[in-house]
Amino acid sequence: MDRDTRVFAESHFRGLRGRLPGRVCPKLDRVDFIEKPDAFSYADFFKGYLLPNLPCVFSSAFTEDWGSRRLWVTPGGKPNFDYLLQNYGHLVVPVANCGVQEYNSNPKEHMPLRDYISYWKEYIQGNYSSPRGCLYLKDWHLCRDSSAEDVFTLPVYFSSDWLNEYWDVLGVDDYRFVYMGPGGTWSPFHADIFRSFSWSVNICGRKKWFFFPPGQEEFLRDSRGGLPYDVTSPTLLDGHLHARLGHCNPPLEVTQEAGEMVFVPSGWHHQVHNLEDTISINHNWVNGCNLANMWHFLQQELCAVQREIIEWRDTMPDWHHHCQVMMKSCSGINFEDFYHFLKVIAERRLRFLAEGVDPGQVEGSKGCGLGPQQAAFDIGRIAEVLECVVAHRDFQRVDTSAFSPQPEELLQQLEEVVAATVSL
């Protein structure tokens, strides 16, 4: 990040005056297509798409040097089953059944990749049908389970990735995934975890995307308040069940070709269909541009838990603590975890500004591509959100006695650095 981009970004957030970023979206009739890597800078992406929270598609030229595009794909553009079996066949992968609805998702099982590829071949031979159903390999943590060397190169546009930076420090998880499946597999209607951004690259195959800007999903709710499982289903046209559908704009539709890269903005609901045999690499990520969206989402999750067990509020000992426990069980994170997330990223940025060394380079985890302007911007965004966290009445009920530093102390330290780096 250069200084002009940082000044532009800080002005953008001051102009929001506490409103959530990316919630007001201009009416779009298409998604921009970015053709040439040498004509599109990080600043172009940051100002044109990341800050305004708008989708875009990058051409296959941005990924042409990826090892997976060379090794995982046959000369005819199909999945290279032989290579995948030889290198990853022993690894256990998660597989969803697209033909079975479980709430607004699909049930999953686990099997060795070799067994899934055997199923896939049989599915193709059976004219894309099987008694076992339509199975989709989803959310495979290849980077966590095996070496990802030469599989892909993280695009610079997505290099400010706090979510995976945080999990790399902890060394227990990540939000880097591989998806693969035959034509006809699909992902139901959803918004990404924690209201993260995401990016998705087709290593081979084609996908059809249906995008809905933030807020449009409210018009898709049924009479019970539930979101649809499938936005292409004829049941969505039932006026008694979906009385507000007429207020919803048509989705933005994108056909993603092999090698192309889709940027999915924060809070945009979407549904994705594989039009043919497809392999994709996908990351979820959070940074200073959607941190406030993540915090807002976590508050909503806690409120939902509190509503569910409100009748026991006066009789259950440590009711507020139990709400946090349940929230973590449902969402994977609670207020204590969120503070720890902020603390880890904040301390790494403070260290960078003090020592001028990317923490990833000295700690053995992946470097985060920092420059001083990016670090200063990040600290400012953390300080703004941490101030809201510290003032939240439910966070004030969290036992922070063992926290180091104390939240108020960290906030003061960040605010001092913000003031000191204004002229950086």
Side-chain angles (χ1 to χ4, degrees):
M1 176 184 284
D2 56 34
R3 175 163 176 75
D4 286 346
T5 303
R6 175 190 161 197
V7 170
F8 182 91
E10 290 173 344
S11 175
H12 169 85
F13 283 106
R14 282 195 301 272
L16 291 176
R17 296 184 176 88
R19 290 178 286 115
L20 281 178
R23 295 296 295 182
V24 178
C25 175
K27 187 173 181 180
L28 304 176
D29 56 7
R30 63 180 178 86
V31 173
D32 288 348
F33 186 76
I34 314 302
E35 183 71 40
K36 298 179 180 179
D38 57 0
F40 191 70
S41 68
Y42 177 78
D44 292 332
F45 174 70
F46 194 94
K47 294 177 182 179
Y49 302 94
L50 199 60
L51 274 182
N53 202 44
L54 298 175
C56 63
V57 179
F58 298 77
S59 76
S60 61
F62 287 83
T63 63
E64 63 184 2
D65 60 346
W66 285 19
S68 53
R69 288 194 58 197
R70 182 178 68 256
L71 301 172
W72 293 10
V73 186
T74 68
K78 299 297 184 181
N80 189 335
F81 292 139
D82 291 340
Y83 180 88
L84 294 170
L85 283 170
Q86 180 178 346
N87 289 272
Y88 310 113
H90 63 289
L91 296 177
V92 174
V93 297
V95 176
N97 190 333
C98 296
V100 179
Q101 180 178 352
E102 190 173 82
Y103 300 101
N104 267 26
S105 188
N106 308 117
K108 282 185 178 177
E109 58 180 309
H110 288 79
M111 65 181 70
L113 179 63
R114 67 171 70 92
D115 291 352
Y116 180 72
I117 289 179
S118 176
Y119 154 82
W120 193 347
K121 291 178 177 178
E122 293 172 1
Y123 193 81
I124 295 172
Q125 293 170 356
N127 197 26
Y128 288 84
S129 179
S130 168
R132 298 175 62 186
C134 183
L135 304 185
Y136 191 10
L137 190 163
K138 299 177 67 174
D139 300 325
W140 176 23
H141 294 265
L142 175 62
C143 295
R144 188 184 67 190
D145 297 341
S146 179
S147 171
E149 184 177 359
D150 202 34
V151 169
F152 71 94
T153 302
L154 181 66
V156 64
Y157 313 103
F158 314 136
S159 57
S160 179
D161 177 353
W162 300 4
L163 201 56
N164 288 298
E165 180 184 351
Y166 171 72
W167 285 111
D168 285 345
V169 171
L170 270 59
V172 295
D173 205 353
D174 67 6
Y175 283 88
R176 307 177 181 100
F177 306 106
V178 173
Y179 283 45
M180 57 177 73
T185 50
W186 64 293
S187 293
F189 186 66
H190 68 286
D192 287 327
I193 187 169
F194 307 144
R195 296 304 178 261
S196 59
F197 299 126
S198 67
W199 60 262
S200 177
V201 173
N202 280 354
I203 304 307
C204 63
R206 304 167 68 236
K207 292 181 184 286
K208 180 68 170 289
W209 294 73
F210 299 89
F211 282 112
F212 292 83
Q216 287 293 301
E217 75 279 0
E218 296 301 322
F219 301 126
L220 300 177
R221 293 189 182 276
D222 60 26
S223 55
R224 296 179 294 275
L227 289 172
Y229 168 70
D230 177 5
V231 295
T232 68
S233 170
T235 60
L236 200 63
L237 302 177
D238 184 339
H240 297 289
L241 191 59
H242 298 277
R244 304 179 67 197
L245 180 63
H247 299 286
C248 185
N249 294 326
L252 283 170
E253 297 186 18
V254 172
T255 299
Q256 179 190 15
E257 304 292 340
E260 292 180 352
M261 180 165 60
V262 170
F263 166 61
V264 182
S266 173
W268 281 59
H269 281 70
H270 51 282
Q271 184 168 310
V272 192
H273 295 253
N274 290 327
L275 302 179
E276 58 190 52
D277 296 344
T278 301
I279 301 175
S280 65
I281 293 176
N282 314 275
H283 283 202
N284 293 98
W285 49 298
V286 170
N287 62 26
C289 294
N290 63 338
L291 184 65
N293 298 38
M294 181 179 181
W295 169 233
H296 179 71
F297 168 76
L298 294 176
Q299 293 174 79
Q300 289 180 314
E301 292 294 284
L302 180 60
C303 286
V305 169
Q306 290 173 336
R307 286 194 299 269
E308 285 295 316
I309 61 171
I310 189 66
E311 60 188 289
W312 292 289
R313 178 172 182 168
D314 297 328
T315 57
M316 179 186 291
D318 298 325
W319 182 82
H320 290 284
H321 171 72
H322 285 294
C323 288
Q324 292 285 338
V325 170
M326 292 178 64
M327 175 188 175
K328 182 168 183 174
S329 176
C330 296
S331 307
I333 189 173
N334 59 19
F335 281 15
E336 178 179 347
D337 299 320
F338 185 63
Y339 171 72
H340 188 63
F341 168 68
L342 296 179
K343 179 181 86 80
V344 167
I345 302 301
E347 289 180 340
R348 289 166 69 85
R349 298 302 180 270
L350 292 169
R351 181 177 175 183
F352 175 83
L353 288 178
E355 302 178 7
V357 178
D358 184 337
Q361 296 172 3
V362 298
E363 296 174 7
S365 62
K366 297 178 177 62
C368 32
L370 286 177
Q373 300 297 337
Q374 182 74 60
F377 170 74
D378 289 353
I379 286 173
R381 298 302 306 135
I382 297 170
E384 182 176 312
V385 171
L386 181 56
E387 182 180 12
C388 298
V389 173
V390 168
H392 196 283
R393 61 182 182 180
D394 285 296
F395 182 76
Q396 292 170 355
R397 295 185 175 103
V398 173
D399 181 6
T400 63
S401 59
F403 289 12
S404 179
Q406 286 290 296
E408 294 81 5
E409 295 172 359
L410 178 60
L411 177 59
Q412 181 178 350
Q413 187 179 7
L414 294 174
E415 289 175 338
E416 290 171 356
V417 172
V418 169
T421 55
V422 167
S423 59
L424 181 65

